[in-house]
Amino acid sequence: MTGILVAGTSSDAGKSLFVTGLCRVARRLGVDVAPFKAQNMSNNSMVCADGSEIGRAQYLQAIAAGLEPASVMNPVLLKPGTDRRSFIVLRGQSSGTLEAGEYSTGRRRLAAAAWDSYEELAATHDLVICEGAGSPAEINLRRGDYTNMGLARRFDLPVVLIGDIDRGGVLASIFGTWGLLGDQDRALLSGYVINKFRGDQSILDPGLTEITRRTGLPNLGVLPWLDGVWLDGEDSLSLGNMSRNSLSLDHVKDGDQRPLSVAVVRLPRISNATDVDALAQEPGVQVVITTNPADVAAADMAIIPGSRSTLSDLEWLHRSGNAGAIRRRARVGAPILGICGGFQMLTREIHDNVESDDNQPGLGLLPARVRFHPDKTLRRPHGTWQGHPVEGYEIHHGTWLEDEDARTIGAEDFLAGLQLDHIWGTMWHGSMESDDFRRAWLREVARQAGRAWEPRSDAPGFGERREQMINTTADAIESAIDVEKLLGLAR
């Protein structure tokens, strides 16, 4: 075996989830398997042990495969900064920008890095399971493509299509993908998988039979809808899937205790939204990702997450009314947390000559000033908070310096950031994955919010929940998919 490509009929069709589960299935079978995504366009990223930056989904896939995550698994990461510009991360390090007009023509060096990385993985592992990007039917991008059919053609990879039936139109999307591809690309299509199915499959089967008759592609299986699987998403559609309903003060009770409510502001250029995954999995915590200032005002805790475009998102915060909601919380002593870019927005002043070439006052709630630098900080720090061990990772251009009055007005250190009474700011992503810290911090948040809420000491930890979800996905693939046939496609 060498490789296989899993391509989606659309974004968020389930490629990342399927590849994650398939990596675990192959590992169970004793196959030395590695994940690969030539190009990822996402602001959800992770820092590897060697200081390189890759997409969060590929980091998780490496864990599923039992490997140490590395930049070779995601050689090109594009981080959208505006609607027309993306920041390039090449083999884990910053490498300039890609403008919208260059998307089809300015990627030769990116393709070379991607293909070299695939060859490196194929030379050191028995099987490489590749994840496509977007859809292979985006024929407007076919010239210069190195992530979907361009990758498959170069390395003669069989391609399995996966379609999301929950979204609707899955039969048309499979047939349309097959119909739009040229003959040489179409020759590499080797089967399809239906994802997120609910109901009686006998009703679906005649449609699958007809699709197979018309395209010649075998149906490799129908994956059921999996409740509670929240695997680290890479795009905004995935983020929407994990959002909860809007907050209300009379929300459903948990016994006699109302859930501790957390409102996460959904910034236009939100980055590393996976920071709140661990909070969303904590029993008795209700998380909503929202643009509604009323939600931000009503919650026990409000979080401003990371941003790929800090000043642009700060301007949006003002326009949307959420800056006002945050400031009102500050005045009444309601807890607020800023993470990375969100922390920077809470400071008094931001000087940015990297992302936007602009200077703006921050929200003025933390006594510090921020200055951006061309060199990006990539590291995986660890420390303690009130005796509890904490691990995290840093991805940022902006660095902060506390003002002279910071200590005199009561500011304290907090995870490479500052805390001033009920306002918290940290440069660390991923800190909430540290179980003891997360629960102790939430207890303090509840106290500040005037709540008697307590964490459940018997609840599984975040790492355990992640493993359960990987295994749940792998179990479903083993039950619903013809794994022997699918893996047998790899040449």
Side-chain angles (χ1 to χ4, degrees):
M1 292 188 287
T2 54
I4 191 167
L5 174 66
V6 175
T9 57
S10 65
S11 292
D12 203 37
K15 301 184 300 294
S16 296
L17 175 68
F18 188 68
V19 171
T20 300
L22 197 57
C23 282
R24 178 57 56 88
V25 169
R27 182 186 177 195
R28 289 175 177 176
L29 294 172
V31 177
D32 178 10
V33 60
F36 178 75
K37 186 161 186 174
Q39 174 192 290
N40 202 339
M41 179 171 280
S42 175
N43 280 327
N44 282 342
S45 59
M46 182 69 182
V47 179
C48 300
D50 63 359
S52 61
E53 182 182 2
I54 66 173
R56 182 83 181 201
Q58 281 61 65
Y59 190 93
L60 187 70
Q61 290 163 2
I63 292 173
L67 300 177
E68 180 67 42
S71 64
V72 68
M73 300 169 185
N74 178 206
V76 180
L77 174 61
L78 300 180
K79 308 190 77 172
T82 70
D83 290 342
R84 300 187 61 81
R85 172 185 293 176
S86 291
F87 296 91
I88 300 170
V89 178
L90 190 62
R91 282 305 295 258
Q93 303 298 321
S94 294
S95 186
T97 61
L98 185 69
E99 306 296 331
E102 302 172 333
Y103 196 77
S104 354
T105 59
R107 300 188 295 164
R108 292 184 183 87
R109 69 187 180 101
L110 308 184
W115 290 336
D116 287 348
S117 296
Y118 177 84
E119 289 175 337
E120 182 179 335
L121 280 177
T124 52
H125 298 278
D126 295 336
L127 174 64
V128 181
I129 302 179
C130 306
E131 178 186 339
S135 166
E138 293 166 346
I139 53 178
N140 53 309
L141 302 177
R142 181 59 183 90
R143 181 183 178 186
D145 167 52
Y146 60 90
T147 62
N148 290 306
M149 301 313 298
L151 177 71
R153 284 271 294 276
R154 184 171 182 90
F155 296 106
D156 195 26
L157 301 177
V159 179
V160 173
L161 293 177
I162 183 165
D164 176 4
I165 195 170
D166 188 63
R167 184 175 294 171
V170 70
L171 300 180
S173 65
I174 291 171
F175 184 75
T177 300
W178 174 85
L180 283 171
L181 297 184
D183 290 342
Q184 290 180 299
D185 287 349
R186 189 184 297 165
L188 291 173
L189 296 183
S190 303
Y192 63 89
V193 168
I194 304 296
N195 192 27
K196 305 180 188 177
F197 179 75
R198 292 184 269 200
D200 182 353
Q201 189 176 325
S202 65
I203 299 173
L204 174 64
D205 285 341
L208 303 184
T209 299
E210 183 63 17
I211 287 295
T212 294
R213 185 189 71 80
R214 295 192 186 196
T215 65
L217 301 177
N219 169 29
L220 297 172
V222 178
L223 271 176
W225 176 275
L226 300 177
D227 286 325
V229 172
W230 48 270
L231 298 175
D232 307 56
E234 68 180 30
D235 58 30
S236 58
L237 291 172
S238 297
L239 177 62
N241 289 342
M242 74 149 292
S243 300
R244 304 297 189 261
N245 294 326
S246 292
L247 299 174
S248 63
L249 294 178
D250 58 350
H251 195 73
V252 177
K253 309 283 185 174
D254 181 10
D256 292 330
Q257 185 184 52
R258 179 165 49 88
L260 190 70
S261 56
V262 178
V264 182
V265 182
R266 183 168 180 161
L267 303 168
R269 297 296 172 188
I270 191 170
S271 175
N272 290 78
T274 48
D275 283 335
V276 301
D277 281 355
L279 295 177
Q281 294 303 308
E282 186 69 31
V285 175
Q286 181 202 6
V287 174
V288 59
I289 299 179
T290 181
T291 60
N292 186 350
D295 287 340
V296 175
D300 295 315
M301 161 59 76
I303 296 179
I304 308 177
S307 169
R308 177 60 263 193
S309 187
T310 303
L311 286 182
S312 173
D313 278 352
L314 177 59
E315 291 174 2
W316 174 87
L317 212 63
H318 287 286
R319 292 196 310 272
S320 65
N322 282 288
I326 292 291
R327 283 180 166 142
R328 287 193 296 274
R329 291 183 65 90
R331 287 195 295 269
V332 300
I336 301 163
L337 170 67
I339 303 174
C340 196
F343 164 40
Q344 294 167 7
M345 294 181 202
L346 292 173
T347 65
R348 292 170 173 169
E349 196 169 62
I350 304 171
H351 298 266
D352 175 14
N353 60 352
V354 176
E355 293 178 350
S356 60
D357 196 22
D358 194 8
N359 303 322
Q360 295 288 340
L363 295 174
L365 302 180
L366 286 174
R369 299 171 193 275
V370 174
R371 185 173 297 276
F372 279 62
H373 300 279
D375 294 335
K376 183 189 285 188
T377 297
L378 293 169
R379 66 189 193 101
R380 289 173 59 171
H382 57 85
T384 61
W385 181 77
Q386 295 188 356
H388 301 286
V390 192
E391 295 182 358
Y393 58 99
E394 293 185 36
I395 305 174
H396 55 88
H397 288 281
T399 59
W400 65 275
L401 183 67
E402 68 180 50
D403 289 340
E404 291 182 357
D405 64 339
R407 302 295 159 163
T408 60
I409 63 174
E412 300 177 0
D413 295 330
F414 177 68
L415 307 186
L418 284 176
Q419 175 200 353
L420 181 61
D421 299 324
H422 55 286
I423 303 172
W424 312 71
T426 175
M427 295 303 293
W428 290 11
H429 296 290
S431 63
M432 296 300 164
E433 297 177 24
S434 298
D435 299 325
D436 290 344
F437 159 73
R438 178 181 68 255
R439 289 166 182 166
W441 180 77
L442 285 171
R443 185 183 292 111
E444 174 61 16
V445 166
R447 185 194 67 78
Q448 291 184 345
R451 298 286 311 283
W453 183 91
E454 286 285 336
R456 272 180 44 189
S457 59
D458 61 340
F462 181 78
E464 182 181 349
R465 291 291 294 269
R466 174 183 276 158
E467 272 297 301
Q468 288 174 353
M469 292 176 189
I470 292 173
N471 285 325
T472 294
T473 305
D475 292 344
I477 290 174
E478 289 180 335
S479 298
I481 303 299
D482 189 340
V483 173
E484 182 178 359
K485 186 173 184 178
L486 191 154
L487 295 181
L489 296 172
R491 300 189 256 284

